[in-house]
């Protein structure tokens, strides 16, 4: 499995991604302002605390002078300040968390909406597990940035400003000297950001691979077990997992070398410098113990937010890489085909015309070549041919799953693109060979959450295609639970539900993609009359491998390598002694051998 490799994030790219992330904060300006005020109050309180202790040491403890009223007042101020910090910190934390969760909630909605609008071309080339990873894992990583990193960054900025103001009030010369720490901090941050981007991008891509492999294995579990592929898949998964482990360990070693030790070394040097400075000062004049305490405490307060920022730089870097992956998905241009805007035309008859349609999935190999045919209103046109002949591609274009560039497709004399997407979906009913069932119950799978559809209409649709015969035998009938993909139902039962779902919308155009392929012969014979009723008054395009099911079609098109090589009714094609007759005789001889 190839890695979904994204371009390396440069510093400019990271800044662009970060600015784009910040746009999600615009709807929360009021809440952010309140949270910032609470944050400033918290930081101010944490800086004032050491100054109160410094005053106690220098004014009362050192001279051993303890006026009761003043000392109690100072103690009350300190205790009250700590309680104030605790309360304000709580509400500040809640406010920032609430903002972060709302931002990620909106981002996930945006990503999911984007996925819903992507064209089939995107899903053809992108593993489902990779998409799931972006919608879940990557947005979760971004959430961590908003929850902890942004708050920590803001806290560090305000703390640095507040601490330096306090330091300048204590000793101007030493405060100026301590400003040299800032470029050292920035140097570590720059080096870390430069090298860590590659590490985190590699980790996210490996995680995406893991999700893709898991999704593939779970969706194809029946085939995995049937063909004894467990050992192979375990080996492949272990290989990907090992690469993810190695990528993670590379990052951990880098973090362990640059983040903790580098800051600890700077902190130790700063404390030694401060103590040495005051030591040299003591040779010339007395040094107040309270000032020494306040200065060392404030220096430690200076390093605390910086150390927290450095520790969270890894989260920040991961978030930028994850955000880049999410925005890459959101910026993808492989959207589903668009229709003309502000169109109100309706499909009334359902006449379909293909005029010299040529189509390619990869813009290199044509899978359809100059396809032309007409399906008049109420007629059935059947598509037959060997695998890969282009039958499903015709349906894909008719359903607007893919965009076509050459030729024209008309419905009721108007371009297929002239109808709104809602009109096309409402007037076109599709039944696939392997119908999809949603988690829920039988009734919701027929109505597809169309709340305007009455329960009686659901039952009428089921009776029309004779799906009611098996539904009524279920313990909970129409409320019987449906698990993921309808795995507890047989292929034939799922197909009958799909028939009922389609007929319930009363479409003008009916598209059957080998709709009876998974139904046993007895059931197929039973629903042929239902199919005949479904097709009456509706234009039907049907793909069929069993030629016996489309003998009454007004037009049969025989496709070979993307071209229509034969056309006519069943009898006309038999008389042509061509590919159709050969297929027909082969199926009949096979049926006779089986019997």
């Amino acid at each position: 499995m190839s890695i979904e490799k994204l371009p390396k994030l440069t510093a400019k790219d990271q800044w662009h991604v970060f600015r784009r992330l910040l746009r999600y904060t615009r709807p929360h300006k009021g809440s952010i302002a309140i949270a910032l005020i609470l944050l400033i109050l918290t930081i101010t309180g944490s800086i004032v605390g050491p100054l109160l202790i410094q005053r106690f040491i220098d004014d009362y403890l050192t001279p051993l002078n303890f006026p009761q009223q003043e000392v109690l007042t100072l103690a009350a101020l300190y205790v009250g300040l700590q309680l104030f910090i605790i309360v304000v910190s709580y509400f500040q934390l809640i406010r920032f968390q609430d903002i972060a969760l709302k931002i990620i909630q909106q981002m996930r909605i945006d990503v999911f909406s984007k996925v819903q609008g992507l064209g089939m071309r995107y899903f053809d080339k992108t593993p489902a597990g990779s998409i799931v990873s972006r919608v879940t894992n990557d947005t979760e990583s971004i959430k961590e940035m908003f929850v902890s990193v942004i708050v920590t960054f803001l806290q560090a900025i305000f703390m640095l400003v507040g601490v330096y103001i306090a330091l300048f009030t204590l000793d101007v010369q030493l405060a100026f000297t301590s400003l040299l720490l800032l470029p050292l901090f920035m140097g570590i941050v720059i080096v870390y950001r430069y090298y860590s981007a590659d590490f985190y991008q590699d980790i996210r891509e490996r995680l995406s691979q893991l999700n893709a492999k898991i999704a593939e294995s779970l969706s194809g579990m029946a085939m995995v077990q049937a063909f004894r592929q467990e050992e192979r898949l375990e080996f492949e998964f272990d290989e990907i997992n090992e690469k993810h482990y190695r990528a993670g360990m590379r990052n951990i070693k880098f973090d362990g070398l640059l983040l903790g030790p580098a800051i600890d070394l700077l902190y130790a040097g700063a404390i030694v410098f401060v103590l040495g400075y005051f030591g040299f000062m003591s040779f010339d004049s007395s040094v107040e113990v309270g000032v020494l305490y306040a200065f060392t405490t404030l220096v430690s307060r200076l390093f605390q937010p910086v150390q927290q920022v450095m520790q969270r730089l890894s989260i920040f870097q991961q978030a930028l890489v994850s955000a880049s992956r999410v925005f890459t998905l959101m910026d993808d241009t492989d959207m589903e085909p668009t229709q003309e805007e502000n169109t109100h035309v309706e499909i009334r008859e359902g006449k379909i015309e293909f005029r010299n349609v040529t189509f390619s999935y990869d813009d290199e190999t044509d899978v359809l070549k100059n396809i032309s045919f007409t399906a008049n209103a109420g007629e059935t046109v059947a598509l037959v041919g060997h695998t890969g002949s282009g039958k499903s591609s015709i349906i894909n274009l008719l359903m607007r799953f893919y965009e076509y560039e050459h030729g024209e497709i008309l419905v009721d004399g108007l371009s297929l693109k002239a109808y709104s997407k809602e009109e096309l979906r409402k007037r076109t009913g599709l039944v696939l060979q392997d119908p999809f069932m949603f988690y829920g119950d039988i009734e919701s799978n027929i109505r597809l959450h169309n709340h305007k559809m009455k329960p009686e209409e659901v039952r009428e649709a089921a009776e029309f295609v004779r799906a009611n015969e098996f539904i009524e035998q279920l313990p909970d009938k129409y409320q019987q639970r449906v698990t993921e993909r309808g795995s507890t139902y047989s292929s034939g039962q799922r197909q009958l539900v799909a028939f009922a779902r389609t007929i319930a919308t009363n479409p003008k155009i009916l598209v059957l993609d080998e709709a009876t392929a998974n139904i046993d012969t007895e059931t197929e014979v039973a629903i042929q009359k239902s199919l005949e009723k479904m097709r009456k008054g509706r234009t039907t395009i049907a793909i069929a491998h069993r030629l016996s099911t489309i003998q009454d079609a007004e037009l049969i098109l025989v496709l070979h390598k993307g071209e229509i090589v034969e056309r006519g009714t069943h009898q006309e094609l038999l008389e042509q002694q061509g590919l159709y007759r050969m297929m027909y005789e082969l199926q009949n001889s096979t049926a006779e051998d089986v019997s």
Side-chain angles (χ1 to χ4, degrees), residues 312-476:
R312 285 167 173 76
L313 268 179
S314 59
I315 300 175
F316 180 68
Q317 202 66 54
Q318 287 185 62
L320 289 182
V321 172
S322 296
S324 175
R325 287 164 48 81
V326 171
F327 290 145
T328 299
L329 186 155
M330 294 176 68
D331 294 339
D332 200 287
T333 56
D334 276 337
M335 303 300 293
E336 63 178 334
T338 57
Q339 304 299 107
E340 294 182 8
E341 297 181 2
N342 301 322
T343 179
H344 301 289
V345 291
E346 297 181 359
I347 298 175
R348 299 187 180 278
E349 297 181 0
K351 179 182 178 182
I352 300 171
E353 295 178 74
F354 273 63
R355 295 181 181 175
N356 301 316
V357 175
T358 298
F359 173 69
S360 170
Y361 288 103
D362 56 9
D363 297 325
E364 294 181 2
T365 304
D366 292 335
V367 294
L368 294 179
K369 306 170 186 176
N370 295 318
I371 299 297
S372 297
F373 67 89
T374 300
N376 293 312
E379 289 184 350
T380 295
V381 173
L383 308 176
V384 300
H386 297 300
T387 300
S389 60
K391 305 184 300 296
S392 295
S393 297
I394 290 177
I395 285 180
N396 285 337
L397 296 186
L398 180 61
M399 295 299 300
R400 294 293 283 153
F401 292 150
Y402 294 86
E403 185 62 86
Y404 59 91
E405 300 294 340
H406 306 288
E408 189 60 87
I409 303 176
L410 307 176
V411 175
D412 289 347
L414 295 176
S415 171
L416 192 64
K417 303 175 184 180
Y419 296 94
S420 68
K421 184 170 64 176
E422 291 75 17
E423 178 67 11
L424 281 177
R425 295 292 179 255
K426 183 171 66 174
R427 300 298 182 185
T428 306
L430 173 66
V431 181
L432 298 173
Q433 178 180 355
D434 187 17
F436 188 91
M437 291 185 73
F438 296 91
Y439 187 89
D441 55 39
I442 293 290
E443 182 175 319
S444 66
N445 267 275
I446 294 177
R447 70 164 67 238
L448 287 184
H449 296 277
N450 179 3
H451 299 293
K452 294 181 181 180
M453 189 179 297
K454 300 176 182 178
E456 305 85 65
E457 295 176 300
V458 172
R459 285 159 177 74
E460 288 174 5
E463 292 171 2
F464 189 89
V465 298
R466 303 183 67 173
N468 65 307
E469 295 180 3
F470 89 86
I471 295 175
E472 294 293 343
Q473 296 177 8
L474 298 173
D476 296 323

Side-chain angles (χ1 to χ4, degrees), residues 131-142:
I131 301 173
V132 172
S133 180
R134 296 196 191 191
V135 178
T136 56
N137 295 336
D138 286 332
T139 53
E140 187 67 20
S141 178
I142 298 169

Side-chain angles (χ1 to χ4, degrees), residues 7-64:
K8 178 181 177 180
L9 282 178
T10 64
K12 184 178 180 181
D13 295 332
Q14 292 182 33
W15 174 242
H16 175 73
V17 170
F18 183 63
R19 286 180 59 189
R20 189 168 174 180
L21 282 173
L22 289 181
R23 293 176 193 167
Y24 278 90
T25 65
R26 291 176 181 172
H28 310 284
K29 291 179 180 178
S31 294
I32 292 175
I34 295 173
L36 288 177
I37 293 172
L38 295 175
L39 179 61
I40 292 173
L41 291 174
T42 303
I43 293 171
T44 302
S46 65
I47 293 173
V48 171
L51 297 179
L52 292 177
I53 294 178
Q54 176 253 326
R55 182 180 175 187
F56 171 74
I57 293 174
D58 291 340
D59 294 352
Y60 305 110
L61 183 61
T62 302
L64 297 178

Side-chain angles (χ1 to χ4, degrees), residues 93-110:
L93 177 65
I94 294 296
R95 180 71 66 169
F96 273 116
Q97 292 274 357
D98 180 64
I99 294 169
L101 291 175
K102 285 180 178 177
I103 288 173
I104 296 306
Q105 183 182 41
Q106 184 59 51
M107 180 172 285
R108 282 179 172 155
I109 291 173
D110 292 345

Side-chain angles (χ1 to χ4, degrees), residues 262-276:
I263 297 300
D264 289 342
L265 183 62
L266 275 180
Y267 175 65
I271 292 297
V272 169
F273 179 78
V274 169
L275 293 176

